[in-house]
Amino acid sequence: PLLQHALMRVWAHEKKTSRSGILDLEDYESVGGIHHALSKHADEAYGQLSEQDRELTRGIFQELTAIDDQGRKIRRPASVSELKQVTGANEERLLHIVRQFIRDNRSFLIESNTADGSDRVIDISHESLIRQWDRLNEWVTTEAEAAQTLKQLVQASRQRRLGKKGLLDSVEL
């Protein structure tokens, strides 16, 4: 998928700039090469959003990703109704953002109907987006760290209520 995406971006760049039909190293480097083409492309979509929509985008993508038992960042499809509940945004605004990451050959997200047609499901098209989009990778890591901190605080609170632990000290805080 990374090579495919990079080549698609190189071709689009070539058509847009020199139009000679010859793909060269300059085209390849301008799109970020195999290691950064996907991240750069996703950042372009993100950069076209308003500041308010960028914050909502973070919430959407955090809901669409998870960390499995082996510590791998993976896709976690979510319905539009779930995204509305988690983000507090309306369906129109959510779908505007989702479609920003689909249009113009981006295809970073997939939008499909549920089996009964009562809702839509949003999913990340390929896990390479999670690994390669630097911004998303950072969001998922930050979310996982916050969740771990919350778990530790909840555990400390339980231990305190059971009389097995005192208040958090300065080191723990």
Side-chain angles (χ1 to χ4, degrees):
L2 294 178
L3 180 59
Q4 179 183 2
H5 193 86
L7 288 173
M8 178 199 66
R9 294 287 289 160
V10 169
W11 180 250
H13 181 267
E14 167 58 29
K15 283 177 39 182
K16 186 174 146 185
T17 56
S18 70
R19 296 190 174 133
S20 68
I22 299 171
L23 306 180
D24 56 28
L25 187 58
E26 183 181 326
D27 295 321
Y28 177 76
E29 289 174 346
S30 69
V31 300
I34 196 164
H35 298 291
H36 301 288
L38 198 144
S39 185
K40 192 172 179 180
H41 198 194
D43 277 338
E44 287 174 15
Y46 181 77
Q48 292 173 349
L49 295 168
S50 69
E51 190 62 39
Q52 196 175 29
D53 283 347
R54 287 179 190 171
E55 189 57 37
L56 182 54
T57 300
R58 178 182 179 146
I60 292 168
F61 276 96
Q62 283 176 322
E63 187 64 20
L64 295 175
T65 55
I67 297 181
D68 69 10
D69 295 338
Q70 288 79 38
R72 294 175 301 185
K73 296 171 184 170
I74 59 170
R75 299 169 19 209
R76 180 179 61 198
S79 67
V80 170
S81 57
E82 290 170 333
L83 292 173
K84 285 169 47 178
Q85 185 177 8
V86 169
T87 64
N90 65 40
E91 184 171 335
E92 181 182 333
R93 195 157 163 231
L94 286 169
L95 291 176
H96 165 74
I97 292 168
V98 166
R99 291 174 182 151
Q100 178 71 14
F101 287 89
I102 294 173
R103 73 173 130 257
D104 300 329
N105 286 328
R106 290 189 182 119
S107 304
F108 295 129
L109 296 175
I110 298 168
E111 177 185 353
S112 58
N113 290 324
T114 57
D116 65 2
S118 65
D119 205 349
R120 291 188 184 106
V121 175
I122 309 300
D123 193 8
I124 292 174
S125 60
H126 198 280
E127 287 179 356
S128 60
L129 179 67
I130 300 170
R131 293 187 301 274
Q132 295 295 317
W133 187 17
D134 298 332
R135 185 180 312 273
L136 176 54
N137 207 333
E138 181 182 322
W139 289 340
V140 174
T141 299
T142 301
E143 181 78 7
E145 289 169 356
Q148 184 61 34
T149 299
L150 178 61
K151 286 178 185 177
Q152 290 170 347
L153 290 172
V154 168
Q155 181 63 24
S157 175
R158 285 185 186 131
Q159 294 295 315
R160 168 112 169 84
R161 275 187 268 125
L162 294 172
K164 296 180 180 180
K165 184 175 173 113
L167 294 174
L168 297 177
D169 63 25
S170 61
V171 173
E172 291 173 306
L173 289 173

